[in-house]
Amino acid sequence: MSPPQPPRLNRPELICPAGTPAALRAAVDAGADAVYCGLQNATNARNFPGLNFTPDALAQSITYAHERDTKVLLAVNSFATAPGAKLWQDAVDIAASLNADAVIVADIGVAQYVAENHPGLRLHLSVQAGASSPEAIRYYCREFGVSRVVLPRILTVTEISAIHDEIPCEIEAFVFGNIGMMAEGRCSLTNYVTGQSTNMDGVCSPASAVQYVKNADESLAAKLGEFEIDCFAENESAGYPTICKGRYLTPARSGTYYAFEEPVSLNLSSLLPELVGAGVTALKIEGRQRSRSYVRAVVSAYREAIDDIMEGAEADLSVLISLTEGGKQTEGAFKSKKWR
Amino acid sequence: MASSELTMGPLIFHWPAEQKRDFWLRIADEAPVDTVYLGETVCSKRTPFFDDPYLAKVSQRLQGAGKKVIWSTLSEVMIKRDRKIVADICAQEDMAVEANDASALFHLSGKPHRIGQALNVYNEATMQFLASKGATHFCLAPELPRSCITSLAQTAKRLGVGLEVQVFGRMSLALSARCYHARAYGRTKDNCLFVCEEDPDGMDLSTRSDTPFLAINGIQTLSHAYLNLSGEVSALQQMGVGAFRLSPHSGDMVAVAHCYRDLLDNKITVDEADVMLKELKVPQPMANGFFHHQPGYKMVSTLSERT
């Protein structure tokens, strides 16, 4: 008698970031099943200078991807802000007219606009909507016909599996890249410091507000706006001043500490079989702000890993450690509740 | 113009249960507020201490004193305990509920309810959709600038729904799954030992150069600066904002309420109100930057706008 076989896994889709048309082609060529991107304005949560797509570039990119059987998802996932909310509706119209395969939205008004005006356009619920319970997810499914939810990076694999059993839509989960510490779509820290809003302008710790200042003791202060977010000794490599990865003082402790999280990257490569077993349909790589070569390297590694796992082989993802922030990686919330 | 409504928002900190009870009883007897929001909005682990044994009694006293009582739901809903608390509050037929996340909307759609600060309402279409599902009153997120509030006030007027803006107290800037109070003490959320009780107004975070920056309240990150929209109250009234929220702190909230009541009724000037708040030892600095489309921690002079 042969030993019992593990349950057959469904092949997950690999969802890859693209901040530029070149990165999009790199992701497609490296084996992405779908690529997500945004327009060059406040309608998406990675509204950085020099990044993102004009409508023309998006049209050409969608053609390139579709010719190679790869989907393109347009992120329209910041919060449409009155009195200029039409910009978000225009972005949805562009996605529909260019035959994007789905729009990724967070705002209720934008979701309603899609459902009412483009009922044939597939709707994905962005991580920016912060839907972290079955009821919240079912709300968006019921009201707007959401086909897929991108889960916040705060759940354990066991919890994801339980959610899967209680919702009528597909699950997309982040597996690699930046790990946001705050509930997405509900963070005004950048706006508090810089006057530019993550929710409304699609920016987080914008480069235009970053300054590095040399202190008298030769240490280097990394400032965002007027506030010193971190400070690096002469022999330390200086990091980027992201508020939720800074070092601060508090009366209960002596010396500065990472009050929220250390600068680490999420890497769930060792949990891939469990994630797929939990019912995750799509595995998402973060990093629309990353370079084409980064995208190519990460996508290739994950493509190979997924294919290996589907064939029952061990996946080798050692190459990915060199691509994590400061060479440090974490499984974040996914492995254990102790992370919280 | 109809008289402006003054409200006391949910108590976001984890005070000892008796202190919370006494706070609300004093509000019932002495504070000139029209509406109060009860219920734990930050962490479901806190509910056995105050909400379960005292909340119904406190609610009765507040109602007996002529205050409208609204039940606010948790801002972040994730585990079974969170989900059950939200479902139970929303299932009560005789309670007015303020929803702070989409799981509450799941339960409340189709019956009258309010929308809280933690639910993003940034545009007309969102407001209109939620109103079509039963929302009767909206409290806006602190980060919205004047231009956005102006548009939403026009929409609220057209839809016949109430509009509320926080005018006093530390601003909620972020929520997380992780408890940063526990983290500061080398613990996790599950074994936090309720260390957030140590800090009645939040745990201060400063930069390395000792500049006060943020405040931690469990899973919530707050501004260091206290929001004070005394100078903007008149503009908000003219836009059509009808309700003004004070967020409770450990200082003398009854006196703060009297100050804002007089300001809303035009009985005192903005300068008089600000002097009064300083005399009450409200921690400085105060801030109004978000309203003016500036960094939220800034205090923008409104002298030129006053008549």
Side-chain angles (χ1 to χ4, degrees), chain A residues 271-289:
Chain A
L271 291 176
L272 287 183
E274 286 89 341
L275 275 173
V276 178
V280 172
T281 299
L283 305 172
K284 184 167 207 161
I285 295 166
E286 186 275 344
R288 284 193 275 141
Q289 69 281 21

Side-chain angles (χ1 to χ4, degrees), chain A residues 125-140:
Chain A
L125 189 65
S126 170
V127 70
Q128 298 294 325
S132 50
S133 69
E135 288 78 17
I137 297 164
R138 283 161 65 192
Y139 173 78
Y140 290 99

Side-chain angles (χ1 to χ4, degrees), chain A residues 80 82-83 107 109 132 135 166 181 183 185-186 188 191-192 197 199 226 228 249-250 253 258 260 338-340, chain B residues 75 77 83 100 118 120 122-123 126 143 151 173 175-176 178-179 183-184 188 204 206 208-209 225 296-297:
Chain A
D107 183 76
S132 50
E135 288 78 17
E166 288 193 58
M181 284 313 301
R186 305 171 115 187
S188 314
N191 196 7
Y192 185 68
S197 163
N199 283 348
E226 292 300 309
E228 185 178 337
L249 296 166
T250 198
R253 298 178 71 111
Y258 292 107
F260 305 104
K338 290 201 179 107
W339 176 85
R340 293 175 193 154
Chain B
S75 304
V77 179
R83 294 166 63 195
N100 274 314
N120 291 347
Y122 284 41
N123 59 76
T126 298
E143 75 159 339
S151 292
L173 299 179
L175 296 162
S176 174
R178 175 179 274 178
C179 177
R183 179 175 170 87
T188 66
D204 291 332
S206 309
R208 196 190 69 117
S209 44
Y297 74 92

Side-chain angles (χ1 to χ4, degrees), chain B residues 188-238:
Chain B
T188 66
K189 195 169 168 184
D190 278 353
N191 72 356
C192 67
L193 303 177
F194 299 97
V195 66
C196 56
E197 198 178 72
E198 305 280 323
D199 300 297
D201 295 295
M203 181 185 86
D204 291 332
L205 280 189
S206 309
T207 67
R208 196 190 69 117
S209 44
D210 241 345
T211 307
F213 184 26
L214 301 169
I216 297 300
N217 174 36
I219 64 161
Q220 186 178 42
T221 305
L222 300 164
S223 60
H224 168 72
Y226 279 54
L227 177 69
N228 174 19
L229 294 190
S230 57
E232 291 73 17
V233 155
S234 159
L236 287 164
Q237 286 174 316
Q238 277 163 30

Side-chain angles (χ1 to χ4, degrees), chain B residues 95-215:
Chain B
M95 280 159 50
V97 178
E98 182 188 66
N100 274 314
D101 93 312
S103 81
L105 294 180
F106 175 80
H107 299 294
L108 293 168
S109 276
K111 59 183 187 182
H113 60 274
R114 295 185 173 211
I115 302 295
Q117 277 184 307
L119 252 171
N120 291 347
V121 177
Y122 284 41
N123 59 76
E124 305 88 334
T126 298
M127 182 175 268
Q128 181 161 336
F129 178 82
L130 294 172
S132 77
K133 300 290 176 179
T136 59
H137 186 98
F138 295 76
C139 186
L140 300 179
E143 75 159 339
L144 297 186
R146 172 187 214 140
S147 55
C148 184
I149 301 173
T150 304
S151 292
L152 290 174
Q154 287 162 1
T155 307
K157 193 172 175 187
R158 177 169 61 78
L159 297 169
V161 297
L163 195 62
E164 180 166 344
V165 168
Q166 181 186 339
V167 291
F168 177 85
R170 283 183 156 165
M171 298 163 264
S172 177
L173 299 179
L175 296 162
S176 174
R178 175 179 274 178
C179 177
Y180 300 124
H181 243 114
R183 179 175 170 87
Y185 287 80
R187 302 174 192 162
T188 66
K189 195 169 168 184
D190 278 353
N191 72 356
C192 67
L193 303 177
F194 299 97
V195 66
C196 56
E197 198 178 72
E198 305 280 323
D199 300 297
D201 295 295
M203 181 185 86
D204 291 332
L205 280 189
S206 309
T207 67
R208 196 190 69 117
S209 44
D210 241 345
T211 307
F213 184 26
L214 301 169

